[in-house]
Amino acid sequence: MAVLETFTDDRPADEVLRWSRAMVEPALRTAVDELDEPMRHVASYHFGWCDEQGRPTSGQGGKVLRPALTLLCAEAVGGAPSSAVPAAVAVELAHNFSLLHDDVMDGDHTRRHRRTAWTVFGVDAAVLVGDGLLTLASHVVATSGHPAAQDGTRLLSAALLDLVNGQAADLECEGRDDVDVAECLAMVNGKTAALLGAACALGASFGNAEQRQVTGMHEFGRQVGMAFQIADDLLGIWGDPDVLGKPVHADLRARKKTVPVVAALTSGTPAGQQLAELYNRATPLSESELAHAAELIEAAGGRAWAREQTDAFLARALGQLEAAGVRRRACAELATLARLIVDRNH
């Protein structure tokens, strides 16, 4: 049966995410408890578990999309989702390591509708807690006692190396005016798609899958990751700040070379040339200039091209699922999550 079909027993995305959170969060909190105070306080604030003073809150932080993919990939290959909880926890720890460091590097003041950790506790604390979460991610996999722990540790390490290299490329591209689309997509493959690919491959591996299924799930996750980042780039320019929880045009203000921006800059159009003049200006851009930059990206075809690429990567991801020979319900729910990840506006 095709992945694109839905069935009466398929759970909707919000139910899958609640199920994933219920399975993963207790183990995630246990892992974070390994940190000493005050690092544990900073991490708990970042995850949305407490306020600035350490008082418990009802917040839940992010949507834990990556852990949900990990658990579903384990189920899809015939394993018990519970067996992949350590892998799911590791993926969420690694993801939040990158968020803490991203917020510092980008100078972002808002995430998930409240102040970023570095603005509350300082840069040093945020960087150290990010380092702590990164260390815990590998530790959780390595000490899981699962037969796939050794391979899983290698897989996660390789993804994290790709992520760091991708982030380094992202920073380096900000200062250049000759970035092309192929280079931009390679950067996305590292900084975002690598960890999503690892999330899915780890789930399959901890579900005791055959190597061909692990490889297939890895590629599924990478393709979803490509679509996810390009969709995120679009939201960074045209998303609703009230929904996103961060200011509009933040990427343009930082002169980031995101996919729609690079597509516009390399379009050879008059709008692309005007955008290059704005991007190369030494002085900060005003709000009206940022809005004009967004208009130029659209006029140069960057927005439409990025949307086409998002759809293409998502289609390839779904095609990987159809070819993987995995359990139908988990397969359908993975497809639902993939669409949510790409179509989200949060």
Side-chain angles (χ1 to χ4, degrees):
M1 292 182 177
V3 166
L4 300 182
E5 290 187 67
T6 57
F7 300 84
T8 57
D9 62 336
D10 294 342
R11 295 171 294 181
D14 58 349
E15 183 178 338
V16 171
L17 292 174
R18 286 195 299 272
W19 162 79
S20 171
R21 183 180 295 281
M23 291 192 68
V24 171
E25 186 163 305
L28 181 62
R29 287 177 180 262
T30 297
V32 171
D33 282 344
E34 293 289 321
L35 298 173
D36 290 337
E37 286 285 358
M39 295 211 327
R40 183 165 62 246
H41 177 192
V42 178
S44 296
Y45 172 85
H46 171 75
F47 279 109
W49 301 335
C50 72
D51 64 12
E52 296 178 20
Q53 286 73 43
R55 295 172 300 207
T57 66
S58 58
Q60 295 183 327
K63 288 190 174 182
V64 294
L65 291 165
R66 289 160 186 80
L69 289 173
T70 302
L71 298 181
L72 281 179
C73 283
E75 185 177 12
V77 299
S82 58
S83 68
V85 167
V89 168
V91 167
E92 188 66 1
L93 289 167
H95 172 55
N96 281 276
F97 136 74
S98 71
L99 295 184
L100 281 162
H101 284 200
D102 281 355
D103 287 342
V104 170
M105 290 187 293
D106 295 341
D108 287 340
H109 287 73
T110 307
R111 180 174 292 281
R112 299 164 183 163
H113 303 282
R114 63 179 189 164
R115 294 172 63 192
T116 49
W118 75 267
T119 66
V120 177
F121 303 100
V123 170
D124 292 348
V127 170
L128 283 172
V129 171
D131 293 344
L133 297 186
L134 174 62
T135 304
L136 284 173
S138 295
H139 179 73
V140 167
V141 174
T143 61
S144 65
H146 195 284
Q150 187 173 3
D151 287 342
T153 302
R154 286 197 294 264
L155 197 158
L156 180 62
S157 297
L160 288 168
L161 181 59
D162 284 345
L163 185 156
V164 171
N165 284 334
Q167 291 285 27
D170 191 9
L171 283 174
E172 192 261 341
C173 286
E174 286 182 28
R176 290 171 44 204
D177 58 7
D178 60 345
V179 181
D180 60 28
V181 169
E183 187 175 8
C184 188
L185 291 176
M187 175 181 67
V188 170
N189 189 45
K191 76 172 189 175
T192 301
L195 187 58
L196 272 161
C200 295
L202 279 165
S205 183
F206 274 63
N208 299 316
E210 300 174 7
Q211 184 55 47
R212 66 176 184 83
Q213 290 179 310
V214 174
T215 300
M217 288 300 173
H218 197 177
E219 186 59 24
F220 161 72
R222 274 194 176 271
Q223 298 292 335
V224 171
M226 295 296 294
F228 168 87
Q229 184 59 58
I230 299 172
D232 196 64
D233 290 347
L234 289 166
L235 288 175
I237 301 172
W238 293 284
D240 183 347
D242 291 333
V243 176
L244 294 173
K246 57 184 178 181
V248 70
H249 296 154
D251 287 348
L252 299 182
R253 186 174 286 105
R255 319 290 173 91
K256 281 191 169 291
K257 299 298 196 303
T258 62
V259 171
V261 169
V262 173
L265 288 172
T266 58
S267 65
T269 63
Q273 294 170 358
Q274 292 178 52
L275 178 66
E277 292 173 7
L278 275 179
Y279 249 58
N280 292 331
R281 187 175 298 176
T283 56
L285 299 180
S286 67
E287 292 300 323
S288 62
E289 288 171 330
L290 291 170
H292 183 49
E295 293 170 354
L296 290 172
I297 294 167
E298 184 156 17
R303 186 176 190 176
W305 188 85
R307 282 177 170 168
E308 290 172 2
Q309 292 301 305
T310 298
D311 292 341
F313 280 116
L314 177 59
R316 285 196 283 272
L318 297 179
Q320 282 290 329
L321 282 182
E322 290 183 331
V326 295
R327 290 190 172 184
R328 186 206 55 76
R329 191 183 87 158
C331 190
E333 290 175 353
L334 281 167
T336 298
L337 273 190
R339 294 189 190 96
L340 173 68
I341 290 170
V342 174
D343 297 336
R344 82 209 189 288
N345 189 25
H346 66 78

